[in-house]
Amino acid sequence: MAEAPQVVNLAITGASGAQYALRLLQCLVANGSRVNVMVSRAAQVVIATETDFRLPGSPPAMAEAFTAYAGAEERQIQVFGREDWFSPPASGSGEKAPLVICPCSTGTLSALATGASNNLIERAGDVALKERRPLILVLRESPYSEIHLDNMLKLTRMGAVIMPASPGFYHKPQSVDDLVDFMVARILDHLGFPQTLVPRWGE
């Protein structure tokens, strides 16, 4: 297994599945990583719609809310605004860190496939691709159009990992939380973190 990263960039976009992002953040914090968080405007709407977690509007207030939610240490979580071009994720000369976009909207998928950098999340994805850093895209859409599939293939060929939010059932989930943990466990596996959320196949 690869060595677990000390810093992880986490982008949350407006696809359904905010629970995946919140649980992943808890697990990254528990594993001791510093987390750079980016939240799209649509993601703020989705979080408010799908969860009981209330996210404030400004990045400093978001950082405080995420810190309390995940039980993080002071400054273990930093939140950057959509046009914070001086943040580490915005440049290849910034901290070397993997990027997880969870959940990843098909609009963000399209922007990454075409090299758009209209906001910090898109720029962070562009940086991950050009620097050959780990990039995990947790897609949540159904069904996929030919455009979506073409964009997924293009990004896969560039080195991104396309990980649709399609939890398995062989671990006999008893709750929605179990399904969320299945996907988060797969993300942690790809990042090199140990995890006990879901037993490995054959265990």
Side-chain angles (χ1 to χ4, degrees), residues 3 6 9 21 25 28 47 62 70 80 154 156 164 191 193 199:
E3 184 178 350
Q6 294 183 331
N9 295 326
L25 181 62
L28 293 174
I47 290 171
M62 286 185 192
F80 298 103
K154 181 184 289 188
T156 295
L191 289 172
F193 286 107

Side-chain angles (χ1 to χ4, degrees), residues 111-177:
L112 296 180
T114 56
S117 293
N118 295 317
N119 56 55
L120 180 59
I121 291 175
E122 294 172 8
R123 173 57 183 168
D126 193 47
V127 168
L129 289 169
K130 77 183 185 70
E131 299 293 328
R132 303 294 194 267
R133 294 175 184 169
L135 173 60
I136 300 173
L137 308 179
V138 184
L139 273 294
R140 217 308 306 169
E141 186 61 85
S142 182
Y144 292 120
S145 73
E146 184 175 348
I147 294 171
H148 303 150
L149 295 169
D150 281 344
N151 286 335
M152 282 189 268
L153 179 59
K154 181 184 289 188
L155 287 165
T156 295
R157 288 172 171 165
M158 293 179 194
V161 173
I162 306 298
M163 191 181 295
S166 303
F169 288 82
Y170 55 78
H171 63 305
K172 297 181 180 178
Q174 301 298 307
S175 67
V176 172
D177 287 344

